[in-house]
Amino acid sequence: MSYEFTIIVPVYNEEDNLARVEEELLAYTKIASKPTKILFVNDGSKDKSQQLIEDICTRNDAFFYILFKENRGLSAAIKAGFDYADTPLVGYIDSDLQTAPSDFNLLLEHIKDYALVTGVRANRKDSFVKNMSSKIANGIRRAFTKDGMDDTGCPLKVIRTDYAKRIPMFKGLHRFLPAMILLQNGTIKQVPVQHFPRIAGQAKFGLWNRLLGPLMDCFAYLWMKKKYINYEVAKKK
């Protein structure tokens, strides 16, 4: 199979969700608008996630995995997915499946004209505190980055792989992916997608991760923006 699109699925202690992840992503590969492979990145899970992932990959030819030696966080898992992707396009979705894999087709409709297309969670099915903290954090981030994005925390994105591989990731930078594409003079677009309540497992982010942490990351982004090296080769032999 000649794949064109890799979906990264970061996993950390999601044993209760993985059967549904397999079912829904396998169903998506059959309707995907581009030939699609799945790449699990196990971020050092301490439950039975790895055995379940290996079983899934044994059963399904289009499923692959990376296992971290230890827990390194979501940004590291996404970066590893970018590093190991060997298709022209790469995307990611959270293993809690609060977004629908089928909505990748909505994003893929636009990727030929943009370097990154991100989902915007319509009618979010989260708690009031989570929704408000995310809204505030997004407002702060927009003020710093001027990226114009309403919901960079949405775990449904498609990126041209050549752009993704050039992103200098640091912890927390997964919220700044659109802004990092803009630093490369790439274009970005947001598209409304479905959102669902978490059915199983535990959320990995608290108030610090959603609000105070991103505020500190904004200053890291500003430093990086000032120091960022960007060039285009005009000619070579």
Side-chain angles (χ1 to χ4, degrees):
M1 170 69 76
S2 179
Y3 299 107
E4 297 179 22
F5 180 40
T6 299
I7 297 176
I8 300 164
V9 186
V11 176
Y12 182 63
N13 295 343
E14 292 284 2
E15 62 181 6
D16 294 332
N17 272 320
L18 286 171
R20 191 165 66 96
V21 169
E22 177 186 14
E23 179 182 359
E24 294 206 17
L25 287 174
L26 181 60
Y28 174 68
T29 62
K30 297 176 180 178
I31 65 166
S33 57
K34 295 184 181 296
T36 298
K37 65 193 295 187
I38 312 300
L39 178 61
F40 291 107
V41 181
N42 186 350
D43 185 19
S45 295
K46 296 177 173 60
D47 62 0
K48 297 178 182 178
S49 291
Q50 181 58 24
Q51 184 57 59
L52 294 171
I53 288 170
E54 291 187 27
D55 291 344
I56 291 169
C57 293
T58 298
R59 288 191 294 268
N60 303 285
D61 291 340
F63 286 64
F64 304 85
Y65 72 83
I66 297 168
L67 170 62
F68 279 5
K69 186 175 180 179
E70 59 187 0
N71 176 246
R72 303 302 294 170
L74 179 57
S75 290
I78 294 172
K79 173 174 170 47
F82 291 166
D83 290 344
Y84 281 83
D86 57 3
T87 54
L89 299 172
V90 64
Y92 83 89
I93 188 171
D94 279 355
S95 51
D96 60 17
L97 289 183
Q98 287 192 257
T99 49
S102 59
D103 282 348
F104 273 120
N105 282 351
L106 298 177
L107 307 187
L108 288 168
E109 288 180 13
H110 303 280
I111 195 61
K112 66 180 182 299
D113 298 318
Y114 297 91
L116 174 147
V117 183
T118 182
V120 178
R121 291 167 286 190
N123 301 313
R124 285 186 64 174
K125 301 299 189 295
D126 287 323
S127 68
F128 175 79
V129 171
K130 186 174 181 180
N131 284 336
M132 287 305 299
S133 60
S134 293
K135 186 174 182 179
I136 293 169
N138 273 302
I140 293 171
R141 189 211 68 260
R142 277 196 307 274
F144 276 80
T145 66
K146 314 297 184 185
D147 63 9
M149 298 288 100
D150 297 317
D151 184 19
T152 61
C154 178
L156 200 75
K157 291 179 172 60
V158 176
I159 312 173
R160 294 186 192 177
T161 303
D162 55 341
Y163 282 86
K165 288 182 180 294
R166 290 195 297 265
I167 295 174
M169 297 286 286
F170 61 81
K171 185 175 288 187
L173 195 64
H174 59 274
R175 303 179 185 91
F176 293 81
L177 292 178
M180 296 307 296
I181 297 298
L182 291 178
L183 285 187
Q184 299 180 45
N185 298 320
T187 52
I188 58 178
K189 182 178 179 64
Q190 55 186 3
V191 176
V193 297
Q194 303 172 83
H195 189 248
F196 308 95
R198 175 183 268 271
I199 294 176
Q202 298 293 322
K204 307 303 187 294
F205 296 97
L207 182 61
W208 169 262
N209 304 92
R210 296 193 195 100
L211 189 55
L212 301 180
L215 176 60
M216 296 177 64
D217 292 340
C218 284
F219 292 100
Y221 167 79
L222 288 183
W223 178 89
M224 182 175 292
K225 181 178 180 180
K226 183 177 180 180
K227 301 292 186 178
Y228 187 76
I229 296 172
N230 195 18
Y231 66 89
E232 295 181 28
V233 174
K235 193 175 183 180
K236 68 177 182 178
K237 178 179 179 182

